[in-house]
Amino acid sequence: MNDEKIQQYGDELYEAFVSRRAIRPLLEREPDITIEDAYKIQERFVARRVAAGEKIIGKKIGATSKPVQDFLGVYQPDFGMLLSGMVYTEGDTIDLGKLIQPKAEAELAFVLKADLQGPGITAMDVIRATDYVLPCFEIVDSRITDWKIKIQDTVADNASCGVYVLGKTKGDPRKLDITLAGMVLEKNGELFSTGVGAAVQGSPANAVAWLANTLGELGIPFKAGEVILSGSQSALVPVVDGDELVCTVGGLGSCRVKFSGRSAA
Amino acid sequence: MSMNITLSREDVVRLAERVEGAQTRAYAIPKLTDEYPDMTIGDGYAVQLELRKRFLAAGHRQVGWKAGLTSKAKMIQMGVNVPSIGFLTDRMSRPESSAISTSDLVHPRVECEVAFVMKKTLQGPGCNAADVLAATDYVLPAVEIIDSRFSGFKFDLPSVVADNGSSARFVGGGRARYAEDLDLRTLGVVMEKNGEIVTMGASAAVLGHPAEAIAMLVNILAELGENLPAGSFVMSGGITEAVAVKPGDSIVARFQELGSVSMRFV
């Protein structure tokens, strides 16, 4: 795919993000898009957001667990960039009016205290470089109509990242068993689903190592202080006005978030 | 739940003999409601208690109880909407890390559970989760090997209750822990078969909290005119869906804070 088209699709996704009007799947229009092309489109989309004033403050790993892979029909992980305009904190209410077709995922977030430069990074390096972990929600959103995405579409669309919410309870992965920590997700006071850290590539640390190595191949390091969202441990939860979600990580703590307003779709 | 009994004494004995034969000689039978379509849950428990009487008369020792069909995943998998209970005997117990024979089972499946050992007797009705925790000596991880004696694992609630809740074998192990030292609601669980993760979840999958399942069990026992004696070993129900096993399979159930329980099937 030539640079002109990459720029065009990146711009189209940015416009969709700003106007909250979803666009047709890219793969329907360009059946030959490779995953590499898709990451270049993502780079353009993200560059437009940075040019408009946001900063890159971390990374997210997507499509890591079976329920999410089944939903997407995508059977490999992918990644996207976390931007400063995406951040919410525990207890905040998320305005759905800023999103198109949001769904929530319960995850573990890693905050790094040291740089990590792949390739060659193991799960042990990830633990060594981790300052702390937090329970969190990622609210995924698709700029592609009706979530009709293949891997190339979601990659180009910044791994379908919407916004994210970090909990306040910090956990030390040298004390907390991040692999076996249970994940209990409640919606409006009722149990919605349960999961466990191992749902993400056998352990969330494996997923973070995978991303360090994947980005390393592209010459991109993890920087100390960055937030890495390690991938969903739950099924995708659709959210509407008035919904309240709580996720609780066993041995760590909870993250609570409310939603108000109406999303575009 | 109504414990209304509609079967005659003769029918209860006849069905208990039928289930005992299927359990002892490991063959599948049609579900009991094919012949007795009006059978109630109360009839199911009457057959189960008759079955227990026969086992105890043969020298088996009852060691406790199990709650079954306590998670949404299990209820959906089995097409029922109320939990059930079944009795456990010494003959069903297998040691951790042992080889478990499948030749005396019909179509075994394994599931991960949190088990409780009681230090005080509990009497329903009105038993709640706090009562259960106060009466608990310790908790431990367990794997239950269930084995419906009904063809194709197809059954309804009266039939499965009569079949002692599909109880077959169980393995307790891992680490014994005080319940008050743990958050029993959020324990993560992973089941591996032959080194591969096959199912996982967290303990809230069992009625929101495993102690709720034990309270429910105590309240069902009260309807049957029984209590849960001190010293009982009680399994609270599968956190994960049940996974089929065959000879040559190796199972490891890994529990947050409770260690692991392993076994192999021959």
Side-chain angles (χ1 to χ4, degrees), chain B residues 90-117:
Chain B
D90 60 333
R91 307 293 171 96
M92 301 176 186
S93 177
R94 293 292 178 273
E96 195 175 11
S97 305
S98 67
I100 298 176
S101 169
T102 55
S103 62
D104 49 359
L105 299 170
V106 184
H107 35 209
R109 295 179 180 181
V110 291
E111 51 190 42
C112 302
E113 311 197 7
V114 175
F116 292 64
V117 173

Side-chain angles (χ1 to χ4, degrees), chain B residues 70-246:
Chain B
T70 47
S71 75
K72 212 189 260 180
K74 282 291 296 184
M75 288 191 205
I76 292 168
Q77 190 180 16
M78 291 298 132
V80 299
N81 54 14
V82 193
S84 65
I85 69 169
F87 62 87
L88 300 173
T89 73
D90 60 333
R91 307 293 171 96
M92 301 176 186
S93 177
R94 293 292 178 273
E96 195 175 11
S97 305
S98 67
I100 298 176
S101 169
T102 55
S103 62
D104 49 359
L105 299 170
V106 184
H107 35 209
R109 295 179 180 181
V110 291
E111 51 190 42
C112 302
E113 311 197 7
V114 175
F116 292 64
V117 173
M118 311 312 297
K119 63 182 175 189
K120 285 184 198 143
T121 298
L122 280 172
Q123 173 72 58
C127 180
N128 61 37
D131 299 331
V132 170
L133 293 172
T136 299
D137 184 0
Y138 65 93
V139 295
L140 73 163
V143 170
E144 184 178 12
I145 298 129
I146 55 168
D147 185 30
S148 175
R149 266 58 60 161
F150 300 118
S151 313
F153 246 100
K154 293 270 181 293
F155 51 67
D156 42 42
L157 205 51
S159 295
V160 72
V161 165
D163 186 25
N164 196 23
S166 306
S167 304
R169 307 283 180 264
F170 63 86
V171 182
R175 289 181 67 186
R177 296 288 302 266
Y178 289 113
E180 59 265 36
D181 290 346
L182 304 170
D183 180 358
L184 283 181
R185 196 176 74 92
T186 56
L187 294 176
V189 177
V190 172
M191 182 183 277
E192 296 177 357
K193 180 161 104 173
N194 306 324
E196 194 181 342
I197 294 176
V198 284
T199 181
M200 53 203 149
S203 49
V206 176
L207 297 179
H209 191 296
E212 294 287 353
I214 308 296
M216 179 273 317
L217 179 143
V218 171
N219 293 328
I220 292 178
L221 281 176
E223 291 190 61
L224 299 172
E226 301 210 12
N227 61 24
L228 181 66
S232 293
F233 167 84
V234 198
M235 289 194 292
S236 57
I239 295 164
T240 53
E241 62 183 325
V243 173
V245 287
K246 58 180 192 318

Side-chain angles (χ1 to χ4, degrees), chain A residues 180-182 191 194-196 198-199 248 250, chain B residues 185-186 188-190 200-202 204-205 256:
Chain A
L180 292 179
L191 183 68
T194 73
V196 62
T248 307
Chain B
R185 196 176 74 92
T186 56
V189 177
V190 172
M200 53 203 149
Q256 182 183 14

Side-chain angles (χ1 to χ4, degrees), chain A residues 9-29:
Chain A
Y9 286 123
D11 289 345
E12 229 185 277
L13 284 162
Y14 176 71
E15 296 302 332
F17 162 72
V18 172
S19 67
R20 295 190 301 282
R21 274 202 294 271
I23 59 173
R24 269 181 65 205
L26 306 186
L27 207 60
E28 268 183 19
R29 294 181 271 165

Side-chain angles (χ1 to χ4, degrees), chain A residues 36 39-40 42-44 46 56-60 79-82 112 114-121 158 208-224 226-228:
Chain A
E36 267 192 341
Y39 277 113
K40 286 184 191 157
Q42 177 190 119
E43 216 179 321
R44 173 68 185 182
V46 170
I56 294 177
I57 53 172
K59 322 279 192 289
K60 69 153 278 188
F79 65 88
M81 298 295 151
L82 300 181
L112 302 180
D115 294 359
L116 271 182
Q117 172 74 60
I121 297 299
N158 197 23
V208 176
W210 172 84
L211 183 54
N213 290 325
T214 303
L215 289 175
E217 299 284 353
L218 305 171
I220 305 170
F222 282 164
K223 292 297 206 181
E226 280 195 319
V227 176
I228 314 294

